[in-house]
Amino acid sequence: MKIFIDTANLDMIKEINSWGILDGVTTNPSLIAKEGVDVRTRVREIAEIVDGPISAEAMSTTAEEMVKEGRELASIHPNINVKLPMCVETLKATKILSSEGIKVNVTLIFSPLQALLAAKAGAAFVSPFVGRLDDIGQYGSDLVEEIMAIFNNYGIGTEVIAASIRGPNHVLDATLCGCDIATIPYDTLKKMIGHPKTDEGIAKFVADYEKSKKN
Ligand code: G3P
């Protein structure tokens, strides 16, 4: 499974990229606002750090404007894909942008049939929001599993990005159903590394090594 980081913070991106495990980056207007930067500048900076897909969200509301904004965003760097929220205008814009070779990530996916429609319109990626479904008492990971089953049934090549990830269990659920990508917040990535038995094991090896040096 590919691992993306879900942030617009350059320090976090640089740190996780240095681990050698990072395949791409997703941003959204809320993450960009947290950084107090302009989306175009920030995605250009990210593209200079990470060699992989980078999602930049377009804020237009009509298909015509989405296409114009999408072309502008995609022209910033070859790795930039255009993130658009699921709606009719997005489907129309996705059809046009994808026919021009511009990759679209259809976001705010909350049902498997939304994912199917986005894929049929030519989306390169769909982003089901796991955590936000958990927030309203549904089991968000089921959505990812259902989308994977549909895409596998029909040989659909659109990649599924498990998004709105809130902890390591969401990442594990995504891997178990063969999800293509998880876009993971920095804190969750840090939690994925550690295990108390690993720490205990390292401490014991170090202590035994120190003892053996004295013999
Ligand atoms: O990738 C989408 C993600 O940024 C949304 O996460 O935690 O705001 O639901 P969250």
Side-chain angles (χ1 to χ4, degrees):
M1 185 178 67
K2 287 178 232 174
I3 290 181
F4 289 7
I5 186 168
D6 194 27
T7 186
N9 181 283
L10 292 186
D11 290 336
M12 290 178 184
I13 292 168
K14 281 181 194 157
E15 183 188 335
I16 304 301
N17 194 45
S18 76
W19 295 359
I21 54 95
L22 194 61
D23 300 302
V25 180
T26 53
T27 68
N28 65 34
S30 309
L31 295 170
I32 294 277
K34 254 199 229 172
E35 302 301 314
V37 288
D38 160 70
V39 62
R40 287 164 180 75
T41 310
R42 183 46 51 99
V43 292
R44 186 179 294 112
E45 289 167 332
I46 295 172
E48 282 162 13
I49 301 167
V50 179
D51 184 19
I54 296 153
S55 290
E57 193 146 344
M59 297 308 295
S60 303
T61 52
T62 67
E64 196 184 347
E65 290 166 352
M66 286 172 177
V67 168
K68 191 165 168 273
E69 192 180 351
R71 285 175 184 148
E72 276 171 31
L73 289 169
S75 72
I76 295 171
H77 190 279
N79 284 347
I80 289 175
N81 59 73
V82 183
K83 209 174 182 189
L84 293 171
M86 179 63 195
C87 63
V88 170
E89 292 304 298
T90 281
L91 294 181
K92 294 178 195 168
T94 299
K95 188 80 193 166
I96 297 167
L97 289 168
S98 66
S99 74
E100 295 174 7
I102 294 173
K103 288 187 175 177
V104 177
N105 173 1
V106 178
T107 188
L108 289 167
I109 294 285
F110 288 95
S111 86
L113 297 182
Q114 287 180 318
L116 176 65
L117 294 178
K120 287 198 65 86
F125 308 98
V126 289
S127 294
F129 274 36
V130 176
R132 291 195 198 182
L133 278 174
D134 286 1
D135 289 344
I136 57 164
Q138 294 185 36
Y139 193 64
S141 291
D142 283 351
L143 172 60
V144 177
E145 198 176 334
E146 287 168 358
I147 296 170
M148 288 312 301
I150 292 168
F151 285 12
N152 287 335
N153 280 347
Y154 294 101
I156 292 170
T158 300
E159 289 190 281
V160 179
I161 305 179
S164 184
I165 294 279
R166 301 281 172 76
N169 283 354
H170 283 159
V171 181
L172 180 60
D173 288 345
T175 63
L176 291 174
C177 70
C179 185
D180 304 283
I181 302 159
T183 188
I184 309 172
Y186 175 81
D187 288 350
T188 299
L189 283 161
K190 299 278 268 193
K191 285 182 194 158
M192 287 163 59
I193 298 179
H195 193 286
K197 294 302 282 182
T198 307
D199 299 342
E200 184 187 296
I202 291 172
K204 180 160 173 31
F205 285 149
V206 170
D208 289 346
Y209 172 69
E210 293 302 330
K211 249 190 270 168
S212 72
K213 279 203 304 188
K214 287 180 195 140
N215 294 336

